[in-house]
Amino acid sequence: MALLFNTRLSYLLRKVKDLRCLTPRRHRMKEKWAATRVKHPPTTLALQHFDATYSVQLGPLWPSVRAALLSERKYGALLNHFSHDAILTDLEAQGCRDFVHDTDTQCQPCSEQEAEVRFEEKSDIVDQQLSPLHLSPNIKCLVFPRGNITRFKPAKPDMCGFLGYYLMDAASVLPCLALDVHEGHSVLDLCAAPGGKTLALLQTQSIGFLCVNDVSVSRTMRLKKVLHSYIPKQLLTNEKLRITSFDGTQWGEMERNTFDRVLVDVPCTTDRHSLMEDDNNIFSKHRTGERRNLPNLQLELLLAGIEAARPGGEIIYSTCSLSQIQNMSVVEQAIHLARENYGIQLQVVDLRPLTHIFRKTFHFAPDLHVGEMVIPHLAANFGPIYMCKLRRLT
């Protein structure tokens, strides 16, 4: 009898798909999904925004760039010259190569005729100056070959406690190479955290004095920890290095006409992070105002960097975004406002020699009339990185 009852009960439960239909309406409760599940997560909002914007800006390139952005990124290993371990040999044995100095993969310099044609194409829009390319012999960044998605192992400390390499987007090294630091130069890194580009600059072993700044105190503290994990204490003295947490937009008022080189790696939409991580995402709804104000903040930071550079000094402006509004538009506005408001004449330095040498490692966006940009590609999934070099004439 009990067996027959259980059989009938099981049959009835299978027939009833939703037991709420047996509950009086006044006692039913709505599912509390809103407290645990975001209806429109920031990553989804970012993808919708990029689809609408970059499909127009990049045209037929956007589908491949989109696929790369949504895939696992590739890293480079910035070699730490202050480590005592034989890191270079070990990484080369794994199949890595130093893309900065691996002459086997470098393209031959373009012909003079090609250089003149391409230079004229850019010169029609903005005054640009071709500049000879000088790469620091001390900056080494190792990458796995194209199409190889092998991950680097975490760096281990040597007998002195220094880590052998720093993992970062290899394209992020390009602004440091383009800055062209010479022996004894004073350098300002205006928006330095988390510290990868600062480490790359210190690897040159040419800087006379380095000023490192980030508006966030917590990020500055993390940057200090990074430096102490890679750089000997005797190179981090007050005579050689200054670390601050000031508002970078006000730097021109504090130290004007001071630095030989200025790196302005501004806050941006960080396109890859915005598509992959919901935490600390600029596309979160409570950060809408902050995101819309980014171009204004970027412009103010670049103008402050321009003021901080001495006449004859050079400035690198960089982002990790594909956005034309955050890239070329900011540079063009800064050139105009620097001339109109401060009487500062600027010249855009053509970075084509740099991109020509490294085009076997990175994919560069075609036909940019101001600056250069690494665009992600599945075979070489670095970037995005935009960079533009300015020389202060007055």
Side-chain angles (χ1 to χ4, degrees), residues 177-229:
L177 293 171
L179 197 59
D180 191 22
V181 176
H182 292 182
E183 190 70 33
H185 271 169
S186 59
V187 180
L188 169 63
D189 190 351
L190 193 58
C191 310
K197 293 183 179 67
T198 302
L199 277 180
L201 291 173
L202 287 170
Q203 295 302 319
T204 65
Q205 303 178 48
S206 299
I207 297 177
F209 179 77
L210 175 63
C211 182
V212 179
N213 180 73
D214 196 276
V215 68
S216 169
V217 175
S218 61
R219 285 165 59 88
T220 303
M221 293 302 295
R222 291 197 297 270
L223 186 149
K224 289 180 180 179
K225 292 181 180 179
V226 169
L227 293 182
H228 284 287
S229 298

Coordinates of all heavy atoms in Angstrom, one line a residue, residues 177-229:
L177 N 60.3 52.9 -24.7 CA 61.4 52.9 -25.8 C 61.3 54.2 -26.6 O 62.3 54.8 -26.9 CB 61.2 51.7 -26.7 CG 61.5 50.3 -26.1 CD1 61.1 49.2 -27.1 CD2 62.9 50.2 -25.7
A178 N 60.0 54.6 -26.9 CA 59.8 55.8 -27.7 C 60.3 57.1 -26.9 O 60.6 58.1 -27.5 CB 58.3 56.0 -28.1
L179 N 60.2 57.0 -25.6 CA 60.6 58.2 -24.8 C 62.1 58.6 -25.0 O 62.5 59.7 -24.8 CB 60.3 57.9 -23.3 CG 60.3 59.1 -22.4 CD1 59.2 60.1 -22.8 CD2 60.0 58.7 -20.9
D180 N 62.9 57.6 -25.3 CA 64.3 57.8 -25.7 C 65.1 58.5 -24.6 O 65.6 59.7 -24.8 CB 64.3 58.6 -27.0 CG 65.7 58.7 -27.7 OD1 66.6 57.8 -27.3 OD2 66.0 59.6 -28.4
V181 N 65.2 57.9 -23.5 CA 65.9 58.5 -22.4 C 67.4 58.4 -22.6 O 68.0 57.3 -22.9 CB 65.6 57.7 -21.0 CG1 66.4 58.3 -19.9 CG2 64.1 57.9 -20.8
H182 N 68.1 59.5 -22.4 CA 69.6 59.6 -22.6 C 70.2 59.7 -21.2 O 69.6 60.0 -20.2 CB 70.0 60.8 -23.4 CG 69.6 60.6 -24.9 ND1 69.9 61.5 -25.8 CD2 68.9 59.6 -25.5 CE1 69.4 61.2 -27.0 NE2 68.8 60.0 -26.8
E183 N 71.5 59.5 -21.2 CA 72.3 59.6 -19.9 C 72.1 60.9 -19.2 O 72.3 62.0 -19.8 CB 73.8 59.4 -20.3 CG 74.7 59.1 -19.0 CD 74.4 57.8 -18.4 OE1 74.1 56.8 -19.1 OE2 74.5 57.7 -17.1
G184 N 71.7 60.8 -17.9 CA 71.6 62.0 -17.1 C 70.3 62.7 -17.2 O 70.1 63.7 -16.5
H185 N 69.4 62.2 -18.0 CA 68.1 62.9 -18.2 C 67.3 62.9 -16.8 O 67.3 61.9 -16.1 CB 67.2 62.2 -19.2 CG 67.5 62.8 -20.6 ND1 67.0 62.2 -21.8 CD2 68.2 63.9 -21.0 CE1 67.4 62.9 -22.8 NE2 68.1 63.9 -22.4
S186 N 66.5 64.0 -16.6 CA 65.5 64.0 -15.6 C 64.2 63.6 -16.2 O 63.8 64.2 -17.3 CB 65.4 65.4 -14.9 OG 65.1 66.4 -15.9
V187 N 63.5 62.7 -15.6 CA 62.3 62.1 -16.1 C 61.1 62.2 -15.1 O 61.3 62.0 -13.9 CB 62.5 60.6 -16.5 CG1 61.3 60.0 -17.1 CG2 63.7 60.5 -17.5
L188 N 60.0 62.5 -15.6 CA 58.7 62.5 -14.9 C 57.8 61.5 -15.4 O 57.4 61.5 -16.6 CB 58.0 63.9 -14.9 CG 56.6 64.0 -14.4 CD1 56.6 63.7 -12.9 CD2 56.0 65.4 -14.7
D189 N 57.3 60.6 -14.5 CA 56.3 59.6 -14.8 C 55.1 60.1 -14.1 O 54.9 59.8 -12.9 CB 56.7 58.2 -14.4 CG 55.8 57.1 -14.9 OD1 54.7 57.4 -15.4 OD2 56.1 55.9 -14.7
L190 N 54.2 60.7 -14.8 CA 53.1 61.5 -14.2 C 52.0 60.6 -13.6 O 51.4 61.0 -12.5 CB 52.5 62.5 -15.2 CG 51.6 63.6 -14.6 CD1 52.3 64.4 -13.6 CD2 51.1 64.5 -15.8
C191 N 51.7 59.5 -14.2 CA 50.6 58.6 -13.7 C 51.2 57.2 -13.7 O 51.0 56.4 -14.6 CB 49.4 58.6 -14.7 SG 48.8 60.3 -15.0
A192 N 52.0 56.9 -12.7 CA 53.0 55.8 -12.7 C 52.4 54.5 -12.3 O 52.9 53.4 -12.8 CB 54.2 56.1 -11.8
A193 N 51.5 54.4 -11.4 CA 51.0 53.1 -10.9 C 50.3 52.3 -12.1 O 49.7 52.9 -13.0 CB 50.0 53.3 -9.8
P194 N 50.4 51.0 -12.1 CA 51.0 50.1 -11.1 C 52.5 50.0 -11.1 O 53.1 49.4 -10.2 CB 50.4 48.7 -11.4 CG 50.1 48.8 -12.9 CD 49.8 50.2 -13.2
G195 N 53.2 50.5 -12.1 CA 54.7 50.5 -12.0 C 55.5 49.8 -13.1 O 56.7 49.9 -13.1
G196 N 54.8 49.2 -14.1 CA 55.5 48.5 -15.1 C 56.4 49.4 -16.0 O 57.5 49.1 -16.2
K197 N 55.8 50.5 -16.4 CA 56.6 51.5 -17.2 C 57.7 52.1 -16.4 O 58.8 52.4 -16.9 CB 55.7 52.5 -17.8 CG 54.7 51.9 -18.8 CD 53.8 53.0 -19.5 CE 52.9 52.4 -20.5 NZ 51.9 51.6 -19.9
T198 N 57.5 52.4 -15.1 CA 58.5 52.9 -14.2 C 59.7 51.9 -14.2 O 60.9 52.3 -14.3 CB 58.0 53.2 -12.8 OG1 56.9 54.1 -12.9 CG2 59.0 53.8 -11.9
L199 N 59.4 50.7 -14.0 CA 60.5 49.6 -14.0 C 61.2 49.6 -15.3 O 62.5 49.5 -15.3 CB 59.9 48.3 -13.7 CG 59.6 47.9 -12.3 CD1 59.0 46.5 -12.2 CD2 60.9 47.9 -11.5
A200 N 60.5 49.7 -16.4 CA 61.2 49.7 -17.7 C 62.1 50.9 -17.9 O 63.2 50.8 -18.4 CB 60.1 49.7 -18.8
L201 N 61.7 52.1 -17.4 CA 62.5 53.3 -17.4 C 63.8 53.1 -16.6 O 64.9 53.5 -17.0 CB 61.7 54.5 -17.0 CG 60.6 55.0 -17.9 CD1 59.8 56.1 -17.3 CD2 61.2 55.4 -19.3
L202 N 63.6 52.5 -15.4 CA 64.8 52.3 -14.5 C 65.7 51.3 -15.1 O 66.9 51.3 -14.8 CB 64.3 51.9 -13.1 CG 63.6 52.9 -12.3 CD1 63.0 52.3 -11.0 CD2 64.7 54.0 -11.9
Q203 N 65.2 50.4 -15.9 CA 66.1 49.4 -16.5 C 67.1 50.0 -17.5 O 68.2 49.5 -17.8 CB 65.3 48.3 -17.3 CG 64.4 47.5 -16.4 CD 65.2 46.7 -15.3 OE1 66.3 46.2 -15.5 NE2 64.6 46.7 -14.1
T204 N 66.8 51.2 -18.0 CA 67.7 51.9 -18.9 C 69.0 52.2 -18.2 O 70.1 52.3 -18.9 CB 67.1 53.2 -19.5 OG1 66.9 54.1 -18.4 CG2 65.8 52.9 -20.2
Q205 N 69.0 52.4 -16.9 CA 70.2 52.8 -16.1 C 70.8 54.1 -16.6 O 72.1 54.3 -16.5 CB 71.2 51.6 -16.1 CG 70.6 50.3 -15.6 CD 71.6 49.2 -15.6 OE1 72.7 49.3 -15.1 NE2 71.2 48.0 -16.1
S206 N 70.0 54.9 -17.2 CA 70.5 56.2 -17.8 C 70.0 57.4 -17.1 O 70.5 58.5 -17.3 CB 70.2 56.3 -19.3 OG 70.8 55.2 -20.0
I207 N 68.9 57.2 -16.3 CA 68.2 58.4 -15.8 C 69.0 59.0 -14.6 O 69.5 58.4 -13.7 CB 66.8 57.9 -15.2 CG1 65.9 57.4 -16.4 CG2 66.1 59.1 -14.5 CD1 64.6 56.8 -15.9
G208 N 69.1 60.4 -14.7 CA 69.8 61.1 -13.7 C 68.9 61.3 -12.5 O 69.3 61.1 -11.3
F209 N 67.6 61.6 -12.7 CA 66.6 61.8 -11.6 C 65.3 61.4 -12.2 O 64.9 61.8 -13.3 CB 66.6 63.2 -11.1 CG 65.6 63.4 -10.0 CD1 65.9 63.0 -8.7 CD2 64.4 64.0 -10.3 CE1 65.0 63.2 -7.7 CE2 63.5 64.2 -9.2 CZ 63.8 63.8 -8.0
L210 N 64.5 60.6 -11.4 CA 63.2 60.1 -11.8 C 62.2 60.5 -10.8 O 62.3 60.2 -9.6 CB 63.2 58.6 -11.9 CG 61.8 57.9 -12.3 CD1 61.3 58.4 -13.6 CD2 62.0 56.4 -12.3
C211 N 61.1 61.2 -11.2 CA 60.0 61.6 -10.4 C 58.8 60.7 -10.7 O 58.4 60.7 -11.9 CB 59.7 63.1 -10.5 SG 58.3 63.6 -9.4
V212 N 58.3 60.0 -9.8 CA 57.2 59.0 -10.0 C 56.0 59.5 -9.2 O 56.1 59.7 -8.0 CB 57.6 57.6 -9.5 CG1 56.5 56.6 -9.7 CG2 58.9 57.1 -10.3
N213 N 54.9 59.7 -9.9 CA 53.7 60.2 -9.3 C 52.4 59.4 -9.7 O 52.3 58.9 -10.8 CB 53.5 61.7 -9.7 CG 52.2 62.3 -9.0 OD1 52.3 62.6 -7.9 ND2 51.2 62.5 -9.8
D214 N 51.5 59.3 -8.7 CA 50.2 58.8 -9.0 C 49.2 59.4 -7.9 O 49.6 59.5 -6.8 CB 50.1 57.3 -8.9 CG 48.9 56.7 -9.5 OD1 47.8 56.6 -8.9 OD2 48.9 56.3 -10.7
V215 N 48.1 59.8 -8.4 CA 47.2 60.5 -7.5 C 46.6 59.6 -6.4 O 46.3 60.1 -5.3 CB 46.0 61.1 -8.3 CG1 45.1 60.0 -8.9 CG2 45.2 62.1 -7.5
S216 N 46.6 58.3 -6.6 CA 46.1 57.4 -5.6 C 47.1 57.0 -4.6 O 48.2 56.5 -5.0 CB 45.5 56.1 -6.3 OG 45.2 55.1 -5.4
V217 N 46.9 57.2 -3.3 CA 47.9 56.9 -2.3 C 48.0 55.4 -2.2 O 49.2 54.9 -2.1 CB 47.4 57.5 -0.9 CG1 48.4 57.0 0.2 CG2 47.4 59.0 -1.0
S218 N 46.9 54.6 -2.3 CA 47.0 53.2 -2.2 C 47.8 52.6 -3.4 O 48.6 51.7 -3.2 CB 45.6 52.6 -2.1 OG 44.9 52.9 -3.3
R219 N 47.6 53.1 -4.6 CA 48.3 52.6 -5.7 C 49.8 53.0 -5.6 O 50.7 52.2 -6.1 CB 47.7 53.2 -7.0 CG 46.4 52.5 -7.4 CD 45.6 53.3 -8.5 NE 46.4 53.5 -9.7 CZ 46.4 52.7 -10.7 NH1 45.7 51.6 -10.6 NH2 47.1 52.9 -11.8
T220 N 50.1 54.1 -5.1 CA 51.5 54.6 -4.9 C 52.2 53.6 -3.9 O 53.4 53.3 -4.1 CB 51.5 56.0 -4.4 OG1 50.8 56.9 -5.3 CG2 53.0 56.5 -4.3
M221 N 51.5 53.2 -2.9 CA 52.1 52.3 -1.9 C 52.4 50.9 -2.6 O 53.5 50.3 -2.3 CB 51.1 52.0 -0.7 CG 50.9 53.3 0.1 SD 52.4 53.9 0.9 CE 52.9 52.6 1.9
R222 N 51.5 50.5 -3.4 CA 51.8 49.2 -4.2 C 52.9 49.4 -5.1 O 53.7 48.5 -5.3 CB 50.5 48.8 -4.9 CG 49.4 48.3 -4.0 CD 48.3 47.5 -4.8 NE 47.7 48.3 -5.8 CZ 46.6 49.0 -5.6 NH1 46.0 49.0 -4.4 NH2 46.0 49.6 -6.6
L223 N 53.0 50.6 -5.7 CA 54.1 50.9 -6.6 C 55.5 50.8 -5.9 O 56.5 50.3 -6.4 CB 53.9 52.2 -7.3 CG 54.9 52.7 -8.4 CD1 54.2 53.6 -9.3 CD2 56.1 53.4 -7.8
K224 N 55.5 51.3 -4.7 CA 56.7 51.3 -3.9 C 57.1 49.8 -3.6 O 58.3 49.5 -3.7 CB 56.5 52.0 -2.5 CG 56.4 53.5 -2.7 CD 56.2 54.2 -1.3 CE 56.1 55.7 -1.4 NZ 55.9 56.3 -0.1
K225 N 56.2 49.0 -3.3 CA 56.5 47.6 -3.0 C 57.0 46.9 -4.3 O 58.0 46.1 -4.2 CB 55.2 46.8 -2.6 CG 54.7 47.3 -1.2 CD 53.5 46.5 -0.8 CE 53.0 46.9 0.6 NZ 51.7 46.2 1.0
V226 N 56.5 47.3 -5.5 CA 57.0 46.7 -6.7 C 58.5 47.1 -6.9 O 59.3 46.3 -7.2 CB 56.1 47.2 -7.9 CG1 56.8 46.9 -9.2 CG2 54.8 46.6 -7.9
L227 N 58.8 48.4 -6.7 CA 60.1 48.9 -6.9 C 61.1 48.2 -6.0 O 62.2 47.8 -6.4 CB 60.2 50.4 -6.7 CG 59.4 51.3 -7.7 CD1 59.6 52.7 -7.4 CD2 59.9 51.0 -9.1
H228 N 60.7 48.0 -4.7 CA 61.6 47.4 -3.8 C 61.8 45.9 -4.1 O 62.8 45.3 -3.6 CB 61.1 47.5 -2.3 CG 61.3 48.9 -1.8 ND1 62.5 49.4 -1.4 CD2 60.4 50.0 -1.6 CE1 62.4 50.6 -0.9 NE2 61.2 51.0 -1.1
S229 N 60.9 45.3 -4.9 CA 61.1 43.9 -5.3 C 62.0 43.7 -6.4 O 62.4 42.6 -6.8 CB 59.7 43.3 -5.6 OG 58.8 43.3 -4.5

